[in-house]
């Protein structure tokens, strides 16, 4: 335990420093010769990874994802709360708010009617471009449904799964958590309120419409997206009431409750897990059992009994996922009794190594630590959470650097290097662990 405690604190500090490199990386220029682009990040942007990849062998993650950025900025709030950063964290948050506000003005109409930028794209890359019709549709609040944008605040011109509707809801949740914990000064609060209003209105308008899942692979109505919407609108109702907008508050509260009722229908009694998605064509997905459900409970789950870490059905879902990856991954065989299974995303994953993810394994640990708060088996849950952390420790190099994946056969790091989400997941996991101990 002492060795684990020591490593946890050291890795926490490293994760904080490493995550900050993805926030406002203004000294980095990303050249995409095939697309004819030179992208310099703006202040307030959050790149998924500051390491420049080009799919040879690491992917190009030098983009500002709406959801990922919200997760990272929420972890920044934790660092601010434990006085690791103080005023610097508030400055980063203010820059994020300003950058996010600038994205509301994105308009694809001009791009769609300009040939100059297409002429700069290499011929063999033009098949990866968005159509003029799709670009023209990015106007008004539709910009908030973009999956990702360039960190210089311009539209992503590449063909990519869109829309993705969890970003506005997750950003709204993060903003409201900052408002509750930081007490920002008046000018910043005004900017926050403006951004928050836009994201709550987007969530209210579009939560019934389908979009792509958090892995950007299948279109439908997804558990994660709906859970984020329910929480954003539930918290938003109280925010509207403080602004004396009781009509908007009532709509938000009613929608939040309706979404939670819908999510009750995502429970699958036979296999005993929450289904991660209902596809547009009602086809049965091979990805129904998905760690995204657990991530939803962590990122957007409330203090209520249902659809949170206190929900017995959520515990059953985690148990199913644990059994799945324990059987599927070679690195989980013959593991020491002190280690829990390395966790991935869903059965049959083939992205890069199709293996374990740091944020998935850390999510399992954080789930246990949070659930311990109300459980008579708190000691066992904390012990189980520590077992997942021991697995993360086993596959973390001495440098402390965390990529996106570690290989299901060798344990070697795979996919994007220095993933900001991996570091954010470690920070939130440790925060939950600290709160679990007396």
């Amino acid at each position: 335990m002492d060795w684990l405690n020591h490593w946890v604190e050291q890795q926490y500090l490293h994760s904080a420093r490493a995550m900050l490199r993805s926030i406002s990386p203004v000294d980095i220029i990303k050249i995409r010769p095939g697309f004819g682009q030179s992208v310099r990040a703006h202040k307030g942007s959050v790149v998924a990874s500051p390491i420049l990849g080009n799919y040879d062998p690491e992917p190009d993650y030098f983009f500002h994802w709406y959801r990922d950025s919200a997760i990272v900025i929420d972890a920044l709030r934790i660092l601010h709360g434990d006085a690791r950063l103080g005023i610097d964290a508030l400055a980063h948050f203010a820059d994020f708010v300003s950058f996010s506000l600038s994205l509301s003005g994105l308009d694809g109409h001009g791009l769609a009617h300009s040939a100059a930028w297409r002429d700069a794209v290499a011929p063999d890359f033009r098949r990866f471009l968005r159509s003029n019709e799709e670009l023209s549709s990015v106007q008004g609040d539709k910009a908030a449904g973009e999956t990702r944008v360039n960190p210089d605040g311009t539209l992503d011109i590449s063909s990519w799964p869109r829309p993705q509707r969890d970003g506005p809801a997750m950003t709204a949740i993060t903003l409201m958590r900052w408002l509750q914990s930081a007490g920002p000064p008046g000018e910043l609060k005004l900017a926050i309120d403006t951004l928050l209003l836009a994201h709550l209105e987007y969530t209210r308008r579009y939560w019934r419409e389908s979009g792509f899942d958090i892995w950007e692979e299948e279109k439908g109505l997804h558990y994660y997206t709906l859970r984020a919407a329910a929480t954003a609108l539930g918290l938003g109702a109280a925010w509207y009431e403080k602004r004396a907008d009781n009509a908007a508050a009532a709509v938000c509260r009613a929608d939040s409750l309706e979404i939670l009722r819908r999510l009750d229908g995502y429970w699958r009694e036979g296999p005993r897990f929450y289904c991660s998605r209902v596809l547009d064509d009602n086809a049965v997905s091979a990805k129904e059992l998905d760690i995204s459900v657990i991530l939803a409970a962590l990122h957007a789950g409330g203090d209520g009994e249902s659809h949170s870490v206190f929900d017995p059905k959520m515990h059953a879902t985690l148990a199913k996922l644990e059994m799945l990856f324990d059987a599927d991954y070679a690195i989980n065989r013959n593991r020491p009794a002190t280690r829990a299974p390395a966790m991935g995303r869903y059965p049959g994953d083939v992205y890069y190594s199709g293996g374990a993810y740091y944020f998935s394994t850390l999510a399992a640990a954080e789930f246990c630590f949070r659930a311990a708060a109300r459980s008579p088996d708190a000691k066992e849950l904390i012990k189980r959470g520590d077992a997942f952390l021991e697995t993360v420790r086993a596959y973390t190099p001495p440098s402390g650097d965390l990529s996106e994946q570690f290989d299901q056969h060798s344990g070697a790091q795979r996919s994007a290097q220095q993933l900001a989400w991996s570091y954010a997941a470690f920070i939130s996991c440790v925060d939950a662990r600290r709160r679990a101990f007396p």
Side-chain angles (χ1 to χ4, degrees):
M1 176 65 77
D2 288 342
W3 278 105
L4 179 62
N5 289 338
H6 176 74
W7 175 79
V8 163
E9 293 305 314
Q10 291 298 111
Q11 183 62 35
Y12 183 86
L13 292 173
H14 178 81
S15 295
R17 291 190 296 266
M19 187 184 78
L20 289 175
R21 289 198 284 271
S22 282
I23 303 174
S24 298
V26 295
D27 56 338
I28 303 176
I29 300 176
K30 171 64 180 175
I31 307 295
R32 297 189 178 104
F35 287 105
Q37 285 186 324
S38 176
V39 178
R40 181 188 285 274
H42 286 187
K43 283 179 67 175
S45 64
V46 180
V47 295
S49 169
I51 305 301
L52 301 181
N54 199 32
Y55 290 93
D56 55 354
E58 285 88 22
D60 179 1
Y61 278 13
F62 199 69
F63 289 94
H64 175 100
W65 266 268
Y66 283 86
R67 176 200 54 257
D68 292 30
S69 66
I71 293 168
V72 169
I73 296 302
D74 198 41
L76 183 71
R77 176 185 58 84
I78 294 172
L79 297 178
H80 179 262
D82 73 4
R84 297 283 177 177
L85 290 177
I87 195 169
D88 290 340
L90 196 59
H92 282 309
F93 174 60
D95 289 339
F96 167 77
V97 171
S98 178
F99 179 78
S100 299
L101 280 171
S102 74
L103 300 179
S104 63
L106 285 172
D107 191 328
H109 186 76
L111 275 176
H113 291 82
S114 170
W117 66 275
R118 287 188 184 271
D119 292 341
V121 177
D124 56 339
F125 273 74
R126 290 175 186 170
R127 59 196 170 100
F128 300 121
L129 295 177
R130 303 173 75 168
S131 69
N132 285 334
E133 181 183 8
E134 185 191 338
L135 283 169
S136 292
S137 70
V138 184
Q139 297 183 44
D141 67 354
K142 295 290 182 66
E146 290 287 291
T147 303
R148 63 186 193 182
V149 295
N150 288 314
D152 63 358
T154 60
L155 283 171
D156 175 20
I157 61 173
S158 64
S159 179
W160 202 258
R162 302 176 182 89
Q164 194 177 57
R165 305 195 189 280
D166 55 358
M170 283 304 306
T171 301
I173 292 169
T174 294
L175 293 173
M176 287 184 279
R177 287 173 178 168
W178 269 91
L179 283 174
Q180 291 169 0
S181 65
E187 186 176 341
L188 175 56
K189 186 179 184 303
L190 181 62
I192 294 169
D193 285 350
T194 302
L195 181 60
L196 180 53
L197 180 64
H199 284 312
L200 286 174
E201 288 184 345
Y202 180 93
T203 304
R204 284 171 57 190
R205 182 174 180 180
Y206 291 106
W207 71 259
R208 295 175 179 85
E209 297 192 18
S210 67
F212 280 89
D213 63 301
I214 69 172
W215 315 129
E216 299 150 16
E217 293 171 348
E218 294 183 332
K219 196 175 183 186
L221 290 171
H222 301 280
Y223 188 102
Y224 183 98
T225 306
L226 290 171
R227 189 65 184 95
T231 297
L233 294 176
L235 295 173
W239 180 79
Y240 275 115
E241 284 173 346
K242 289 181 181 178
R243 295 165 60 89
D245 191 343
N246 293 327
V251 172
C252 282
R253 188 165 287 112
D255 280 359
S256 178
L257 292 173
E258 183 182 344
I259 295 169
L260 291 174
R261 285 192 294 269
R262 287 199 184 192
L263 286 177
D264 289 341
Y266 280 58
W267 174 250
R268 300 293 181 260
E269 184 61 39
R272 296 194 59 75
F273 62 77
Y274 278 122
C275 175
S276 66
R277 64 200 66 212
V278 174
L279 301 184
D280 281 356
D281 58 5
N282 290 317
V284 176
S285 171
K287 304 168 186 177
E288 287 192 339
L289 178 60
D290 189 323
I291 197 70
S292 63
V293 172
I294 302 302
L295 292 170
L298 299 178
H299 297 165
D303 294 327
E305 198 67 29
S306 65
H307 305 289
S308 73
V309 298
F310 308 114
D311 185 345
K313 293 178 179 177
M314 195 66 72
H315 283 258
T317 302
L318 180 58
K320 281 287 186 180
L321 286 160
E322 191 171 344
M323 290 172 59
L324 166 69
F325 297 119
D326 194 23
D328 279 4
Y329 290 171
I331 55 174
N332 286 332
R333 293 168 200 149
N334 302 316
R335 69 179 189 278
T338 54
R339 290 194 342 222
M343 304 287 279
R345 298 193 299 177
Y346 51 74
D349 193 356
V350 295
Y351 184 67
Y352 279 81
S353 74
Y357 280 66
Y358 284 105
F359 60 65
S360 295
T361 311
L362 288 162
E366 182 177 346
F367 185 97
C368 294
F369 295 138
R370 287 203 194 182
R374 292 189 198 168
S375 174
D377 299 321
K379 288 185 178 179
E380 284 303 311
L381 280 168
I382 292 171
K383 182 179 178 181
R384 186 178 171 208
D386 278 350
F388 284 110
L389 271 180
E390 286 283 11
T391 299
V392 173
R393 178 166 72 143
Y395 294 105
T396 299
S399 66
D401 294 343
L402 300 177
S403 294
E404 186 172 42
Q405 296 183 32
F406 49 105
D407 191 277
Q408 62 173 294
H409 299 287
S410 67
Q413 295 203 7
R414 292 286 184 267
S415 193
Q417 298 181 51
Q418 305 275 344
L419 190 76
W421 187 349
S422 295
Y423 295 124
F426 195 91
I427 290 165
S428 62
C429 179
V430 173
D431 181 62
R433 185 176 188 263
R434 290 171 178 168
R435 294 173 187 274
F437 282 99

